[in-house]
Amino acid sequence: MNDRQGPQDGVGRVSYPIVPRPRYATLALAVILGALTLALIVSMAGNANFQWDAVAHYLFHPSILRGLAMTLVLTAVVLAISVALGTVIALMRLSSSRVMGVIALVYVWVFRGVPSLIQLIFWFNLALVVREISLTIPGLGTLFSIDTNDLISPYAAAVIALSLCEAAYIAEIVRAGILSVSSGQGDAARSLGMTRQQAFRRIIAPQSLRFIIPPTGNAAISLLKLTSLVTYVAVDDLFYAAQSIYARTFETIPLLAVVAFWYLAVVTVMSIGQGFLEAHYSQFDTRSKGRWSLRRAGADLRDLWGSR
């Protein structure tokens, strides 16, 4: 038997070992991209116009850290509200009630169609349309009345505008996640005696999370960057803090580099958390075993050099 031949199977056929084919094109592309990235980093590091000493000075400046904290709090509050509201809107769209479905559809159409900045400015200037917000009951009179300017502060306007806008996107994500679960799952659960609510809570909702988590994580990262719009209504976020400094010192590029660094740092942490969540909810999905990872990339390189 030839040395390259493997053992024979039960019917006398010779089986050959599977040798991975070298991926020279992939390796070449990785080397080129790595070289370009390294050249870009070296070029930026050696460019004196970035004023890296000023970047280091302002990186942990108290105003910058306060702005970063405001950005994180605003992102967390808006995300919590938008997830809760978006889930309700998604359930309304999937409801058997045509009225609720139409209301939810109109909501998604309006708040997904109007730019976030316009919504933000509108809520900030709500007092131009509604002077005061009051509750009046015939026979009992006015129970309470409050001036709109006192109620809608810049922070409140930012929370309302971003939450309503983001909820429209979350609603579509949740709706798609629920519809991705086969309808037979619900039928099987009801055949076992579960009610419609029990089937949704115990069978459909847990399975839909595998499809909801990835796009929701991406929406959260987009929301983090979207909060920079609140600068237009004078909310003291990260970008507003940087603007306040470079308006006095004219060190625009270093302050923008500081803002970019903190956004990248937070997005990196959020991406890692998203990865763990996806891995948790996809641990029983065989398709996830082919996803790229550092360990898989190392194995590919070992296979490439071992096959030579």
Side-chain angles (χ1 to χ4, degrees):
M1 184 174 63
N2 193 313
D3 292 339
R4 294 179 56 86
Q5 291 180 348
Q8 294 183 349
D9 57 14
V11 295
R13 292 176 301 185
V14 178
S15 60
Y16 293 90
I18 299 176
V19 179
R21 182 173 298 176
R23 302 179 179 181
Y24 295 110
T26 303
L27 180 61
L29 181 60
V31 171
I32 292 173
L33 292 178
L36 290 176
T37 302
L38 181 61
L40 178 62
I41 294 174
V42 171
S43 176
M44 293 178 60
N47 192 336
N49 294 325
F50 279 98
Q51 304 178 42
W52 295 113
D53 55 339
V55 173
H57 173 72
Y58 289 113
L59 194 59
F60 298 98
H61 193 277
S63 297
I64 295 295
L65 295 181
R66 283 195 299 269
L68 175 63
M70 174 60 73
T71 295
L72 295 177
V73 170
L74 182 61
T75 301
V77 171
V78 171
L79 183 62
I81 296 175
S82 61
V83 167
L85 181 58
T87 302
V88 173
I89 297 299
L91 294 178
M92 289 175 60
R93 286 207 62 183
L94 297 173
S95 172
S96 57
S97 172
R98 183 172 298 180
V99 175
M100 295 179 65
V102 170
I103 293 174
L105 180 62
V106 171
Y107 175 91
V108 172
W109 172 64
V110 171
F111 286 97
R112 203 170 56 167
V114 179
S116 303
L117 181 59
I118 294 178
Q119 298 183 44
L120 179 64
I121 296 175
F122 170 80
W123 286 102
F124 182 69
N125 294 281
L126 185 63
L128 298 177
V129 181
V130 181
R131 298 288 183 180
E132 63 178 14
I133 299 176
S134 60
L135 176 61
T136 302
I137 299 178
L140 296 179
T142 301
L143 298 182
F144 74 88
S145 179
I146 185 172
D147 187 79
T148 305
N149 279 325
D150 296 333
L151 182 63
I152 307 296
S153 63
Y155 181 80
V159 170
I160 294 173
L162 295 181
S163 297
L164 293 177
C165 178
E166 193 69 17
Y169 293 95
I170 296 296
E172 291 299 282
I173 292 174
V174 174
R175 183 177 70 91
I178 294 174
L179 292 177
S180 66
V181 180
S182 173
S183 59
Q185 299 281 340
D187 297 336
R190 286 192 294 273
S191 68
L192 295 176
M194 293 186 186
T195 63
R196 189 180 185 90
Q197 291 74 20
Q198 289 176 333
F200 177 79
R201 187 174 64 253
R202 298 179 182 178
I203 305 298
I204 298 177
Q207 294 187 60
S208 65
L209 286 176
R210 180 161 56 90
F211 302 96
I212 293 175
I213 292 296
T216 302
N218 294 335
I221 292 174
S222 298
L223 174 62
L224 172 72
K225 296 180 290 185
L226 191 66
T227 56
S228 61
L229 293 178
V230 302
T231 301
Y232 290 95
V233 294
V235 176
D236 192 12
D237 72 319
L238 177 59
F239 187 41
Y240 185 85
Q243 281 186 319
S244 301
I245 296 176
Y246 70 65
R248 301 190 309 268
T249 64
F250 301 102
E251 295 173 308
T252 305
I253 298 301
L255 268 301
L256 291 180
V258 169
V259 173
F261 169 83
W262 282 117
Y263 273 118
L264 283 172
V266 177
V267 167
T268 300
V269 174
M270 294 177 67
S271 299
I272 294 174
Q274 178 185 347
F276 280 113
L277 282 176
E278 291 183 19
H280 174 73
Y281 287 103
S282 301
Q283 55 184 330
F284 302 112
D285 184 10
T286 56
R287 293 172 298 178
S288 64
K289 306 209 183 319
R291 294 177 182 172
W292 185 90
S293 63
L294 289 176
R295 181 178 298 177
R296 180 177 176 82
D300 289 342
L301 288 176
R302 288 194 300 270
D303 292 341
L304 174 61
W305 294 111
S307 63
R308 297 186 61 180

